[in-house]
Amino acid sequence: MSPSDKSPDKEQLMLGAVPGEPALGRGPVPDGHYSRHEYDHPAAGWGAARSVARVLERAGEPLEGFRALFMMNQEDGGFDCPGCAWPDDPDGLHLDICENGAKHVTWEMAHAKANPEFFSAHTVAELAGWTDYDLEDLGRLAEPLSYNPATDKYEPISWDDAFALVGDTLRALDSPHQAAFYTSGRLSNEATFLYQLWVREFGTNNLPDCSNMCHEASGRALTAAIGSGKGTVDLHDWADADAIWLLGDNAASNAPRMLTWLAEAERRGAQLVHINPLIEAASRRTIVPHEFVEMARFRATKIGTMNVQVRIGGDMALLRGVAKAVLEATEQDSDAIDRDFIERFTHGFDEYRALVASTPWSELVDGSGIAEPDIRKLADSYLASQRAIIAWCLGLTQHEHGVDTVREIVNVLLLRGNIGRDGAGPCPVRGHSNVQGNRTCGINHRPPKDFLDRLGEVCGFEPPREEGLGTVPTIEGMRSGDVKVFVSLGGNFALAAPDQPATFEGLRNCDLTVQVSTKLNRSHIVHGKRALILPCLGRSERDRQASGEQGVTVEDAMSMVHISFGMKEPVSPNLRSETAILAGMAQATLPDSKTPWASYRGNYDLIRDTMARVLDGFEDFNARARHPHGFRIRQLARDRVFQTPSGRAEFSSAPLPDDVDPGDGRLMLTTVRSHDQFNTTIYSNDDRYRGLKGLRTVIFMNENDMRDRGLAEFGLIDVRSFSKDGTERKVYGYRAVAYDIPPGNAAGYMPELNVLCGLADISTQSEQPVTKHLVVEVTTAEPAPT
């Protein structure tokens, strides 16, 4: 039985079209009591404080949890938040914690209840019926486990035997390319570097990672436009900007510490523009919890001066409309654009200007869903600002045209010289805490030649040169049998990936799956013919190796690198660090390797010394990482050095997308996450900032779209998606909820709705699944198939 101790009814069972997986993607089993109200309170504030108090109480160790909050993101003996990648305050003036960080660290501090006694009492078939919430809520994994197909149970295995199984299986493959090695964004820089070193010394570039599903479009667009896949700004720029635009982002849930910087920007009179199909809490008001006087007075700060409700996928047309208005303004004011910057530092302006001039306003209005006067109002705001930052998140990237849209952001910034000076520039808002560091330190299935050259020279081997497999090709390879071994460092690949039936089929088709994890999740239940669960330390836990206590580094979303030390004892003596686990697997796989794996495992300073010789910007790594607040990796584009073929920043003249209107009475669906969720980890069925309680199986719809379909509030609906390859997918028993979203658009929660995105539904520009650009049909619910 599920720990919810309740038999789900038909509605609860048919949450996705995944036969045999009734619990897929669910939070706690809904108890039938659900409601929605308009949320008009400030973001953060007392609501966040109460939520943190409940989280600490539920954790069972409120004093230890409270202590952890005051050591998280602190420079003196603190540890880095394992949640989002928002930077720490560079001046140390703020108490750098947030509600979501508190949830994540207390989630990590749970007791190790997923122990051998638990697994001896439960088959995998039984655990498959548990909700994803119940699997993770069980607690921390206690020791390494191996799947026994004869009993359908996970059983204890020694670390040495686990490593031997990995090594023997990999060496028995006909080709190194028959294995794939996935990375989630939580892996430290040191572990990341060892991971890619092991994989490349083994002989493949099959290194799919979570970036392939989130910000791949950002990296490819920025590399083409300015010669670097990263943003150019830091928090000092956020403190100097007089205009900040946020596109496709819900800061209150995705990066709550951003609210502090938005509040401070508002107080100095900056323009704060939110561009999103949904009006979110982070676009209105906030009370920053560490501002105790404001908390006591219940005094909120406005954090939005303009809301622009663009249609899903309409951001590129909106941005081009802004560019059109700016260029038209030059007829009266020659200083509307920065001609000197454009002439000295850019390429392709004349072609872009001609393209914009030839694009009629009607096309821009239709494409964006925003009236011409409102686009001009937005452009006027931009023209009135001297220093502008444009930030964006997955609402822009998980589309077919994500790369072109990010490049249009750069176009708008280039027009007024808003790159390479204080208070201005592009700013991708990254998700997981070290997702940017993973790419910097070598997790890339399309590695650049100069990185491979240096890696081979320093580490004494010839790295493979063939392009490897990204996320979706890895799934296809597992299904076809071309990929026989799948190793995952963190994350919950089975739920995070698109087309879950296909993903599940691929994982089950593998000869061996290896999951390095802290907690039980769906990816342990959907496994290969043989399977290992290797439990690792959390970031808040002390990491003791042969040379003493170790620290690890991460790179935040603005290229700051800093060291982090755990503060509490591990929840089980049988856990190992990610670095130690990787070194163990590498030694077992490469018995003749000259790489000093044991030395690296015993002293992470030695890893950092090697990284300093391989990676640009990591010179004197050990010393600089220990500086207060760490160091920033130099961004050449910030200095107006553009490593593009032309040596200049490139204007893009891509055509506008023609797929924003699904037609035929269909809707364009975007997936979102709730406030009580971190990536695939679901803390409850509530979504406080959207006013929803007790339910996740909902589709947020425009009120008129509901009326046209004869749907009542919380009426039962089915949702069918239409894939690029002509196939269809369907989820049953969802409920319609009226929300402030443009007509023809809809939204629902991931990971549950990832099932609607087929493997064919990937961007031809970025190879990302287009989970925020799904054509769907919403109808009154019919009896679900058995």
Side-chain angles (χ1 to χ4, degrees):
M1 289 290 291
S2 163
S4 304
D5 196 28
K6 177 179 178 177
S7 298
D9 60 22
K10 184 176 183 180
E11 172 196 346
Q12 293 161 351
L13 284 171
M14 297 306 300
L15 299 183
V18 187
E21 302 294 343
L24 177 66
R26 286 220 313 262
V29 173
D31 61 7
H33 300 288
Y34 45 82
S35 63
R36 185 180 177 272
H37 62 277
E38 292 299 323
Y39 187 87
D40 57 5
H41 303 289
W46 285 106
R50 286 191 292 270
S51 176
V52 169
R54 287 193 296 269
V55 166
L56 292 175
E57 180 182 14
R58 186 173 180 273
E61 291 189 18
L63 292 180
E64 185 75 1
F66 189 75
R67 174 172 169 259
L69 295 186
F70 284 86
M71 294 190 69
M72 188 164 59
N73 302 322
Q74 301 303 304
E75 61 178 86
D76 297 324
F79 64 94
D80 190 73
C81 175
C84 81
W86 187 256
D88 299 343
D89 176 14
D91 300 316
L93 300 179
H94 298 139
L95 179 61
D96 247 351
I97 60 175
C98 71
E99 177 185 353
N100 283 6
K103 291 174 183 174
H104 202 76
V105 75
T106 53
W107 176 94
E108 186 178 89
M109 293 172 65
H111 295 292
K113 296 180 181 179
N115 52 31
E117 292 74 24
F118 169 81
F119 285 102
S120 69
H122 300 281
T123 65
V124 171
E126 178 186 347
L127 294 175
W130 287 29
T131 70
D132 296 282
Y133 172 86
D134 287 329
L135 291 174
E136 297 199 31
D137 192 52
L138 174 67
R140 291 284 296 281
L141 293 159
E143 62 180 82
L145 300 161
S146 175
Y147 177 69
N148 184 343
T151 61
D152 190 35
K153 292 181 179 180
Y154 277 105
E155 299 172 350
I157 185 173
S158 71
W159 280 106
D160 286 345
D161 286 346
F163 294 153
L165 176 58
V166 174
D168 291 346
T169 305
L170 288 175
R171 289 198 309 276
L173 295 174
D174 293 334
S175 165
H177 304 308
Q178 291 179 317
F181 302 83
Y182 176 76
T183 312
S184 85
R186 59 153 286 148
L187 197 65
S188 70
N189 288 329
E190 292 76 13
T192 295
F193 185 79
L194 281 199
Y195 194 18
Q196 64 83 32
L197 179 58
W198 166 41
V199 171
R200 292 194 165 103
E201 198 171 330
F202 176 58
T204 186
N205 284 312
N206 287 351
L207 285 159
D209 72 312
C210 58
S211 288
N212 300 155
M213 297 185 280
C214 59
H215 268 293
E216 189 73 37
S218 299
R220 295 191 186 190
L222 291 172
T223 298
I226 62 175
S228 168
K230 303 177 184 181
T232 63
V233 305
D234 60 19
L235 284 180
H236 292 297
D237 294 312
W238 277 68
D240 290 338
D242 55 16
I244 298 172
W245 291 14
L246 287 171
L247 289 82
D249 178 56
N250 178 17
S253 296
N254 299 345
R257 288 188 291 157
M258 185 196 296
L259 299 177
T260 299
W261 299 88
L262 294 178
E264 292 187 354
E266 194 280 335
R267 291 174 189 139
R268 67 174 182 269
Q271 294 293 304
L272 303 177
V273 178
H274 298 266
I275 299 171
N276 203 330
L278 289 79
I279 300 294
E280 303 281 22
S283 68
R284 296 188 291 257
R285 296 172 298 142
T286 189
I287 301 177
V288 180
H290 64 249
E291 295 178 345
F292 300 111
V293 173
E294 306 302 313
M295 286 276 286
R297 294 177 177 175
F298 291 84
R299 189 163 64 189
T301 301
K302 186 178 179 181
I303 51 174
T305 54
M306 187 185 304
N307 267 302
V308 181
Q309 271 189 285
V310 68
R311 70 189 307 171
I312 293 171
D315 304 87
M316 185 177 175
L318 175 69
L319 290 161
R320 188 155 293 174
V322 169
K324 187 175 182 71
V326 167
L327 289 168
E328 288 178 354
T330 61
E331 298 172 9
Q332 284 77 40
D333 179 5
S334 62
D335 292 332
I337 61 174
D338 189 334
R339 297 180 186 275
D340 178 68
F341 172 84
I342 290 171
E343 291 172 4
R344 293 175 59 197
F345 294 107
T346 75
H347 175 259
F349 172 67
D350 290 339
E351 294 86 348
Y352 179 69
R353 179 174 55 186
L355 174 68
V356 172
S358 68
T359 305
W361 274 104
S362 59
E363 184 177 345
L364 301 170
V365 169
D366 290 344
S368 65
I370 305 299
E372 180 182 339
D374 293 325
I375 299 176
R376 290 188 178 277
K377 180 181 177 182
L378 179 59
D380 289 342
S381 172
Y382 183 54
L383 286 165
S385 304
Q386 298 303 310
R387 299 174 302 279
I389 289 172
I390 301 183
W392 68 94
C393 201
L394 306 192
L396 258 69
T397 62
Q398 291 177 328
H399 296 261
E400 163 59 35
H401 47 274
V403 171
D404 287 342
T405 302
V406 174
R407 294 204 63 180
E408 198 68 23
I409 287 175
V410 177
N411 287 344
V412 171
L413 291 168
L414 292 177
L415 287 176
R416 290 180 52 77
N418 275 314
I419 291 182
R421 58 191 178 93
D422 292 346
C427 181
V429 180
R430 308 285 184 180
H432 218 322
S433 57
N434 199 38
V435 64
Q436 185 161 301
N438 294 159
R439 185 57 58 91
T440 299
C441 296
I443 300 298
N444 189 348
H445 67 284
R446 304 164 73 227
K449 179 180 181 299
D450 58 346
F451 168 79
L452 294 179
D453 290 344
R454 196 173 309 166
L455 180 70
E457 178 185 352
V458 171
C459 297
F461 76 104
E462 178 54 41
R465 301 290 170 160
E466 305 94 326
E467 184 174 309
L469 300 178
T471 293
V472 171
T474 291
I475 298 169
E476 293 169 335
M478 291 190 294
R479 293 180 73 203
S480 68
D482 292 334
V483 173
K484 299 180 181 300
V485 176
F486 179 77
V487 180
S488 178
L489 263 291
N492 189 353
F493 186 82
L495 283 193
D499 200 341
Q500 286 148 344
T503 299
F504 287 14
E505 177 191 349
L507 289 168
R508 288 172 173 146
N509 197 40
C510 289
D511 291 341
L512 175 67
T513 53
V514 181
Q515 301 285 339
V516 179
S517 310
T518 54
K519 281 193 167 188
L520 190 65
N521 64 42
R522 186 65 52 187
S523 295
H524 306 124
I525 308 305
V526 182
H527 55 75
K529 300 176 182 70
R530 302 197 70 176
L532 291 171
I533 300 176
L534 304 182
C536 64
L537 296 173
R539 198 172 290 165
S540 61
E541 292 171 317
R542 297 183 185 277
D543 181 357
R544 296 185 179 93
Q545 303 296 338
S547 65
E549 197 156 322
Q550 305 297 311
V552 295
T553 63
V554 297
E555 178 188 347
D556 64 33
M558 298 184 194
S559 304
M560 290 294 300
V561 178
H562 50 274
I563 201 162
S564 169
F565 289 89
M567 48 75 69
K568 66 184 293 290
E569 292 300 314
V571 296
S572 167
N574 296 317
L575 305 183
R576 293 196 180 182
S577 73
E578 292 162 326
T579 302
I581 294 170
L582 284 163
M585 291 193 290
Q587 282 183 292
T589 307
L590 306 166
D592 299 324
S593 171
K594 296 179 181 179
T595 300
W597 301 107
S599 298
Y600 284 159
R601 179 177 65 241
N603 186 346
Y604 299 173
D605 280 352
L606 300 179
I607 305 174
R608 286 187 281 268
D609 285 342
T610 301
M611 295 171 71
R613 298 169 61 199
V614 174
L615 303 174
D616 286 331
F618 282 73
E619 299 80 9
D620 200 17
F621 189 7
N622 271 304
R624 294 166 69 208
R626 288 173 165 85
H627 288 173
H629 307 295
F631 65 95
R632 188 164 195 247
I633 301 171
R634 183 187 177 197
Q635 297 304 304
L636 292 176
R638 172 58 186 262
D639 299 324
R640 296 185 170 176
V641 176
F642 302 109
Q643 294 184 303
T644 62
S646 69
R648 294 166 172 255
E650 296 282 350
F651 278 94
S652 169
S653 295
L656 292 175
D658 59 3
D659 60 351
V660 295
D661 184 357
D664 299 325
R666 295 172 179 174
L667 303 176
M668 189 67 75
L669 175 79
T670 181
T671 58
V672 297
R673 75 185 197 194
S674 77
H675 184 62
D676 220 9
Q677 173 182 356
F678 182 78
N679 294 343
T680 59
T681 296
I682 299 164
Y683 301 116
S684 81
N685 284 327
D686 298 340
D687 190 353
R688 187 172 77 248
Y689 289 149
R690 295 190 182 104
L692 186 65
K693 290 182 65 66
L695 197 63
R696 287 181 57 83
T697 53
V698 301
I699 300 295
F700 296 107
M701 298 176 63
N702 180 277
E703 191 173 39
N704 291 331
D705 288 335
M706 288 177 60
R707 185 180 302 113
D708 291 345
R709 291 160 177 77
L711 303 176
E713 184 78 349
F714 288 114
L716 283 170
I717 57 174
D718 297 337
V719 186
R720 184 190 306 272
S721 67
F722 302 88
S723 183
K724 291 180 179 179
D725 62 1
T727 60
E728 299 179 4
R729 288 157 183 78
K730 193 170 185 179
V731 294
Y732 308 89
Y734 272 61
R735 293 186 180 274
V737 172
Y739 202 81
D740 189 357
I741 188 170
N745 291 190
Y749 295 122
M750 61 77 66
E752 291 90 336
L753 290 178
N754 287 2
V755 71
L756 294 177
C757 183
L759 293 187
D761 298 321
I762 63 170
S763 167
T764 57
Q765 299 182 354
S766 67
E767 302 176 64
Q768 282 187 237
V770 294
T771 49
K772 298 199 185 314
H773 199 91
L774 298 173
V775 176
V776 301
E777 184 178 81
V778 176
T779 57
T780 301
E782 299 177 356
T786 58

